[in-house]
Amino acid sequence: MEWEIVIGLEVHAQLSTNTKIFSGASTKFGAAPNTQACSVDLGLPGVLPVFNENALRKAVSFGLAIGAEIGKRSAFDRKNYFYPDLPKGYQITQMDHPIVGKGEVEIMLEDGTLKRVGVTRAHLEEDAGKSLHEDFQGMTGIDLNRAGTPLLEIVSEPDIRSAKEAVAYLKKIHSIITYVGVSDGNMAEGSMRCDANVSVRPKGQQEYGTRCEIKNVNSFRFVERAINYEVERQIAIIEDGGTIVQETRLYDSVLDETRSMRSKEVANDYRYFPEPDLLPVEIDDAYIEAVRAQLPELPDAKKERFMSQYGLSEYDALILSTTRDIADFFETVADVSKEPKLSANWVMGDLTAVLNKTNTPIGKSPVSAADLGQLIQRITDNTISSKIAKTVFEAMVNGEGSPDQVIEKQGLKQVSDTGAIEAMIDEVIAASPQQLADYRGGKDKLFGYFVGQVMKASKGQANPALVNDILKQKLDG
């Protein structure tokens, strides 16, 4: 039987505010446990929450960025459940009146086609604390620093049909929230994590299968692996005559498998009711337009501009507009070098290889955008050859200075003196009588041999175009 996969994702994006959503406690990452939770975060008697307007502004920014409906009247609710890391016994969230309504994002599939994935809603809520198991043998520690941290939960429609589509959607959400400045998107620090609702159904069937939720996956790679495992598990159970139990599952990245965590709760289990300590939030058109006016150029618009302004292919433009940091870096390189295509090649090629090898973000690149632009300038003005440029770039990565400093220090300027090049060519031809005879006898491929020998004699510094022209004249007589 042919199966169809149905996936919906819930992305939790931590909003990049300095303080929590309902208190003045800090949200700074890495503080000692239980040093950043105040009486409001703990829900102690006699304290009241105060809504952080910065969280509202960021939520509206995201909604506008995906063309979503903005709720002019949104409201908070209490979601009741009892976990050790939720001291109040309830989470303040939004249920029936979220701040962001329906929208959509566009993703590019592996075959280059575009697909629109619907966003059902995005609502504001506070995070819970964190249970710590590793450092407490036989016990569990509780760190409440995250309690009250502002989150935007972005819920997709079940429009996704494979693990790779899920990853493409996640990367697009990551791109948007970081472009807009809604969140730093740091998955290693928990600023963005994802719940994946996965089900399968026979191809062509309209009714959805029973879904399982994979909870709190915090890397693109793990999301893909977790979904693939879960799909195989569900298909195997059904084909063996079993039935899927709706439940919440955890992904174990070490064993590369999902395992049952708890039976899936439904809305009634949470006994939602309106949060009595917070008034509904009302915003008007002026507020929305003020937020819209502050939006930066978004990834899709930037991709289109890179194609029209710089003449890049859609693929190159997509890669270079994926994050704001990469896009800004590329534009500086292109502006300095005046060579957009060559700049794109260097950023996506040599520079990315170095960054990937050292797991370094482009914001901390060992080679500045201005220096890379200058290096490309030195190629196009014939100061150095493309081959020598690799040597210069390697020295720049090692901190040996700007392109001009490295070229000067290592004596790498390209030789464009025709007299000097002719002398080298004469020496090479004189030292290769058999190859010369064979070439003139019809073995044209030996031209490359002579070019190689001349470049070797010049230690790679001879102007390749001049070498080719002069060598051709001399060999052909």
Side-chain angles (χ1 to χ4, degrees):
M1 179 180 292
E2 190 174 358
W3 296 93
E4 183 177 54
I5 304 164
V6 179
I7 302 167
L9 296 180
E10 299 171 12
V11 178
H12 292 82
Q14 177 179 331
L15 300 176
S16 52
T17 59
N18 293 325
T19 56
K20 295 184 177 176
I21 189 168
F22 300 120
S23 81
S26 173
T27 57
K28 189 174 182 180
F29 178 80
N34 298 311
T35 59
Q36 294 184 171
C38 69
S39 54
V40 174
D41 307 321
L42 303 180
L44 297 182
V47 297
L48 292 172
V50 177
F51 183 37
N52 184 341
E53 192 270 340
N54 198 16
L56 172 69
R57 184 171 293 272
K58 289 182 182 300
V60 173
S61 297
F62 173 78
L64 294 174
I66 63 167
E69 304 162 5
I70 304 299
K72 292 185 178 177
R73 180 184 172 89
S74 60
F76 289 100
D77 301 277
R78 287 188 181 182
K79 180 181 180 182
N80 298 276
Y81 58 98
F82 297 96
Y83 287 165
D85 53 14
L86 187 68
K88 293 186 293 191
Y90 62 85
Q91 176 190 32
I92 301 178
T93 183
Q94 295 185 318
M95 179 64 176
D96 296 324
H97 304 287
I99 183 64
V100 177
K102 286 186 177 299
E104 63 181 19
V105 298
E106 189 175 74
I107 62 173
M108 180 177 281
L109 306 183
E110 283 190 306
D111 62 2
T113 58
L114 298 174
K115 175 175 180 173
R116 294 184 182 276
V117 177
V119 172
T120 312
R121 55 185 276 155
H123 59 262
L124 286 161
E125 64 183 24
E126 61 179 342
D127 204 354
K130 185 177 182 181
S131 297
L132 307 172
H133 307 288
E134 291 80 6
D135 298 330
F136 304 90
Q137 287 187 348
M139 299 183 291
T140 296
I142 301 295
D143 177 10
L144 294 173
N145 281 355
R146 289 195 67 87
T149 296
L151 300 178
L152 185 66
E153 181 172 332
I154 305 160
V155 182
S156 85
E157 295 286 323
D159 293 341
I160 299 166
R161 293 292 176 267
S162 72
K164 289 194 179 299
E165 281 188 23
V167 172
Y169 170 81
L170 274 182
K171 287 183 175 178
K172 190 59 176 286
I173 293 291
H174 185 272
S175 178
I176 293 171
I177 62 175
T178 53
Y179 256 84
V180 178
V182 167
S183 170
D184 64 19
N186 189 326
M187 300 179 82
E189 294 180 358
S191 297
M192 179 174 159
R193 53 189 193 268
C194 162
D195 301 341
N197 287 285
V198 181
S199 65
V200 298
R201 63 183 176 186
K203 190 87 173 178
Q205 177 179 300
Q206 293 299 310
E207 184 185 353
Y208 292 131
T210 302
R211 71 180 188 273
C212 292
E213 181 183 54
I214 309 170
K215 200 77 177 167
N216 281 337
V217 191
N218 65 349
S219 87
F220 299 128
R221 183 163 57 96
F222 290 165
V223 166
E224 182 173 355
R225 289 167 59 179
I227 290 174
N228 283 333
Y229 176 87
E230 183 60 20
V231 167
E232 290 181 11
R233 185 188 74 87
Q234 291 187 18
I235 291 175
I237 290 173
I238 297 171
E239 291 185 342
D240 285 346
T243 55
I244 303 300
V245 177
Q246 184 172 338
E247 61 182 354
T248 299
R249 300 178 68 83
L250 283 176
Y251 175 66
D252 186 326
S253 60
V254 176
L255 299 176
D256 190 23
E257 65 180 24
T258 66
R259 61 172 181 266
S260 181
M261 179 181 175
R262 60 176 183 264
S263 60
K264 176 67 180 176
E265 297 92 341
V266 295
N268 286 344
D269 295 328
Y270 291 120
R271 294 168 289 114
Y272 282 94
F273 65 85
E275 165 58 58
D277 292 335
L278 287 165
L279 291 171
V281 179
E282 294 189 351
I283 56 177
D284 56 19
D285 289 337
Y287 183 92
I288 294 172
E289 292 311 312
V291 174
R292 191 194 306 277
Q294 294 179 347
L295 288 178
E297 184 181 34
L298 295 168
D300 289 346
K302 199 178 285 286
K303 185 190 79 172
E304 294 298 322
R305 181 170 64 80
F306 280 4
M307 293 168 65
S308 61
Q309 180 177 341
Y310 297 121
L312 300 182
S313 68
E314 184 168 21
Y315 176 81
D316 288 357
L318 175 66
I319 298 298
L320 292 170
S321 62
T322 300
T323 72
R324 197 168 172 177
D325 285 346
I326 293 174
D328 290 347
F329 193 99
F330 160 72
E331 288 215 81
T332 300
V333 177
D335 288 346
V336 172
S337 71
K338 312 300 181 191
E339 292 287 338
K341 177 55 182 168
L342 202 50
S343 299
N345 292 345
W346 273 90
V347 172
M348 294 191 299
D350 296 75
L351 180 68
T352 297
V354 167
L355 298 179
N356 288 344
K357 187 176 180 181
T358 56
N359 196 26
T360 303
I362 199 165
K364 295 182 179 178
S365 169
V367 175
S368 73
D371 278 353
L372 184 54
Q374 189 185 73
L375 175 65
I376 296 170
Q377 272 187 338
R378 295 297 168 261
I379 300 171
T380 55
D381 67 13
N382 288 322
T383 300
I384 56 174
S385 65
S386 296
K387 185 175 181 183
I388 291 294
K390 304 282 186 184
T391 303
V392 178
F393 179 73
E394 188 176 337
M396 292 162 63
V397 171
N398 293 329
E400 295 181 29
S402 69
D404 286 347
Q405 289 171 331
V406 173
I407 292 168
E408 185 65 32
K409 194 186 307 177
Q410 298 191 19
L412 297 174
K413 279 189 178 175
Q414 187 164 257
V415 177
S416 296
D417 180 333
T418 54
I421 292 175
E422 278 194 44
M424 283 187 279
I425 289 175
D426 289 341
E427 286 182 16
V428 168
I429 291 176
S432 310
Q434 185 59 53
Q435 288 84 351
L436 178 63
D438 290 344
Y439 175 80
R440 288 178 172 167
K443 292 186 177 179
D444 295 342
K445 290 184 177 178
L446 282 171
F447 186 80
Y449 161 80
F450 286 104
V451 171
Q453 292 300 305
V454 175
M455 295 306 293
K456 184 179 179 183
S458 72
K459 297 179 180 176
Q461 291 178 249
N463 184 316
L466 286 176
V467 169
N468 276 274
D469 289 345
I470 298 171
L471 187 59
K472 185 74 175 168
Q473 294 171 17
K474 287 183 177 289
L475 289 177
D476 292 348

